[in-house]
Amino acid sequence: MYITSDFKYDIPTDKPKTGSYEWWYFDAKDDSGHWSIVVIFYEGCPFSPRYNKMYDDGGSSTASDHPAISISLYYDFKPVFYSMTEYKPQDCSFKNDGDEIRIKVGDNFLFLRKSDGKLFHTLQLNEKMPSGDILEGLLHFESIHNPDLFTKKPEPGQHHWNLTQPRAMVNGILELKTGFGGFNRIYWKGKGYHDHNLGFEPMMNEFDDWYWGRFHYKAHTLVYYLMRKNGLLEIKGWLFDKKQNLLNVFEKGKIANEFNNLFGLTAATEIHLNYDSISCRIYQRNIVDKGPFYYRFIAESTLQRGNEVERVFGFTEYIKPKNIHKKVYWPLINMRYHYKGEANWVQKSPIFYRWTWKGL
């Protein structure tokens, strides 16, 4: 895997092979501790049943044929808005103008800009679901630009992970309207995170499974992954200060207390990372999204440096990509996965649609 941390690698990349993908990931928690959000812009959504069918059947569809956006908004560890929408290619664009990147997926926009040693990223959201749920508004991510915190030499065709923005200040306003007639205006102020992923073949060809997470402590940020490939577990974690200077690299740890969901998907409730006298413990008990191949947690973490111990909450994930290609799950996935203009009856119902993103 190629790992870097530079804005110049955030640019949209040519992906001619079927099964390739690219995404721009953002998450944020507000200072009140109540609201959290995850937004992902895709060119070539790796979770699209139609895209995966093309690959499995030997078709020639490319990433640009399957642009998508996913938005998950949480209040007190519970989802209150969910979308995973694949748009038609003519309704989307992915442009690079040097120091600014502009991405459009339907009526949702992403602007990424570098200026005077800082990164300024804006998410302009306008997502309307067949259930009547609507999320609109702006979120601004601002951070120091500290390029090349680490670089691992790339190998041809491997997965690229660009940790562009480990710690950002986030502000903005969101408006949530529900299919039941509810309304919330959220004045957002908090911390956030952004990374960029690029793959030239389906994820199941690149790794067996993957844990990832990030936590913002008062003066530090932790980002980590545990990747299993051919049965071997690779552990990497990075601890940054507020100015995004790299302080420590974790390469030792373990996973503990595994559990299964109804689909037989196994994941750990605990992850331990160690570096000399510094230790991090991650407790993945609050599941906010789950399915046949994926978990998302708003997890708890403790950071211990000497005698000092700090406890915070942040996002973590687990994915087993081989399960994405198991066709037996596709009817369930299609209850949640919305093809713009082709909503099924489940997606049109505020009640049943909520069941899919709370129950699956």
Side-chain angles (χ1 to χ4, degrees), residues 76 82 118 164 260 314:
D76 286 350
Y82 176 87
K118 289 188 175 183
T164 316
N260 293 291

Side-chain angles (χ1 to χ4, degrees), residues 8-119:
K8 68 175 175 282
Y9 297 115
D10 248 6
I11 61 174
T13 304
D14 187 34
K15 300 172 289 297
K17 293 177 62 177
T18 303
S20 60
Y21 58 90
E22 189 167 15
W23 75 69
W24 290 259
Y25 171 99
F26 292 83
D27 72 43
K29 291 178 67 64
D30 81 328
D31 287 342
S32 74
H34 293 294
W35 293 99
S36 305
I37 193 169
V38 175
V39 181
I40 311 173
F41 288 78
Y42 299 91
E43 187 176 33
C45 182
F47 312 116
S48 168
R50 290 183 183 177
Y51 191 24
N52 289 321
K53 186 177 188 302
M54 291 295 293
Y55 175 83
D56 294 342
D57 293 347
S60 58
S61 186
T62 62
S64 61
D65 296 324
H66 302 275
I69 184 171
S70 67
I71 305 173
S72 298
L73 181 67
Y74 305 99
Y75 183 81
D76 286 350
F77 303 107
K78 296 181 180 179
V80 294
F81 179 89
Y82 176 87
S83 72
M84 171 65 88
T85 305
E86 182 173 315
Y87 282 83
K88 298 185 184 304
Q90 60 267 30
D91 297 325
C92 306
S93 61
F94 296 79
K95 296 181 179 179
N96 170 33
D97 293 328
D99 283 342
E100 183 174 75
I101 298 162
R102 291 174 291 166
I103 293 172
K104 175 182 182 294
V105 177
D107 293 323
N108 303 281
F109 296 85
L110 171 58
F111 305 95
L112 303 99
R113 181 170 60 91
K114 180 184 72 172
S115 178
D116 297 327
K118 289 188 175 183
L119 298 180

Side-chain angles (χ1 to χ4, degrees), residues 311-330:
R311 171 180 168 270
V312 297
F313 289 89
F315 282 108
T316 67
E317 297 180 339
Y318 173 77
I319 187 168
K320 187 173 184 179
K322 185 177 180 180
N323 285 9
I324 299 171
H325 291 260
K326 292 183 177 180
K327 295 181 180 180
V328 66
Y329 297 135
W330 289 358

Side-chain angles (χ1 to χ4, degrees), residues 12-269:
T13 304
D14 187 34
K15 300 172 289 297
K17 293 177 62 177
T18 303
S20 60
Y21 58 90
E22 189 167 15
W23 75 69
W24 290 259
Y25 171 99
F26 292 83
D27 72 43
K29 291 178 67 64
D30 81 328
D31 287 342
S32 74
H34 293 294
W35 293 99
S36 305
I37 193 169
V38 175
V39 181
I40 311 173
F41 288 78
Y42 299 91
E43 187 176 33
C45 182
F47 312 116
S48 168
R50 290 183 183 177
Y51 191 24
N52 289 321
K53 186 177 188 302
M54 291 295 293
Y55 175 83
D56 294 342
D57 293 347
S60 58
S61 186
T62 62
S64 61
D65 296 324
H66 302 275
I69 184 171
S70 67
I71 305 173
S72 298
L73 181 67
Y74 305 99
Y75 183 81
D76 286 350
F77 303 107
K78 296 181 180 179
V80 294
F81 179 89
Y82 176 87
S83 72
M84 171 65 88
T85 305
E86 182 173 315
Y87 282 83
K88 298 185 184 304
Q90 60 267 30
D91 297 325
C92 306
S93 61
F94 296 79
K95 296 181 179 179
N96 170 33
D97 293 328
D99 283 342
E100 183 174 75
I101 298 162
R102 291 174 291 166
I103 293 172
K104 175 182 182 294
V105 177
D107 293 323
N108 303 281
F109 296 85
L110 171 58
F111 305 95
L112 303 99
R113 181 170 60 91
K114 180 184 72 172
S115 178
D116 297 327
K118 289 188 175 183
L119 298 180
F120 303 90
H121 298 343
T122 299
L123 284 67
Q124 181 177 326
L125 305 177
N126 185 10
E127 186 72 345
K128 301 177 180 179
M129 302 305 294
S131 62
D133 296 338
I134 301 172
L135 187 65
E136 301 174 300
L138 291 170
L139 288 177
H140 303 280
F141 286 65
E142 179 180 338
S143 73
I144 297 169
H145 181 222
N146 193 353
D148 295 328
L149 292 170
F150 44 82
T151 300
K152 182 177 178 181
K153 186 178 179 181
E155 298 176 4
Q158 68 179 190
H159 183 94
H160 290 200
W161 183 39
N162 186 16
L163 182 52
T164 316
Q165 206 169 33
R167 186 183 185 107
M169 302 308 297
V170 183
N171 64 81
I173 301 175
L174 296 177
E175 291 187 349
L176 171 65
K177 304 170 186 176
T178 73
F180 299 110
F183 177 81
N184 283 95
R185 179 176 286 117
I186 309 160
Y187 296 91
W188 204 289
K189 183 179 180 181
K191 300 180 185 68
Y193 167 94
H194 160 56
D195 68 20
H196 173 217
N197 284 260
L198 169 66
F200 298 99
E201 59 182 350
M203 287 188 288
M204 68 175 182
N205 296 346
E206 300 179 277
F207 52 87
D208 302 329
D209 62 1
W210 161 287
Y211 291 91
W212 166 90
R214 69 89 180 146
F215 294 92
H216 295 314
Y217 308 97
K218 289 181 180 178
H220 302 89
T221 293
L222 169 70
V223 183
Y224 70 87
Y225 75 83
L226 290 81
M227 182 175 69
R228 202 178 340 244
K229 186 173 183 179
N230 299 324
L232 299 176
L233 184 65
E234 179 182 2
I235 299 173
K236 287 286 186 181
W238 299 270
L239 192 67
F240 306 92
D241 64 15
K242 280 186 175 181
K243 295 183 179 180
Q244 298 187 164
N245 296 305
L246 180 60
L247 301 178
N248 300 108
V249 178
F250 297 92
E251 294 184 324
K252 295 180 180 179
K254 65 178 182 178
I255 58 177
N257 298 331
E258 293 183 324
F259 70 99
N260 293 291
N261 67 6
L262 293 175
F263 302 100
L265 185 67
T266 302
T269 60

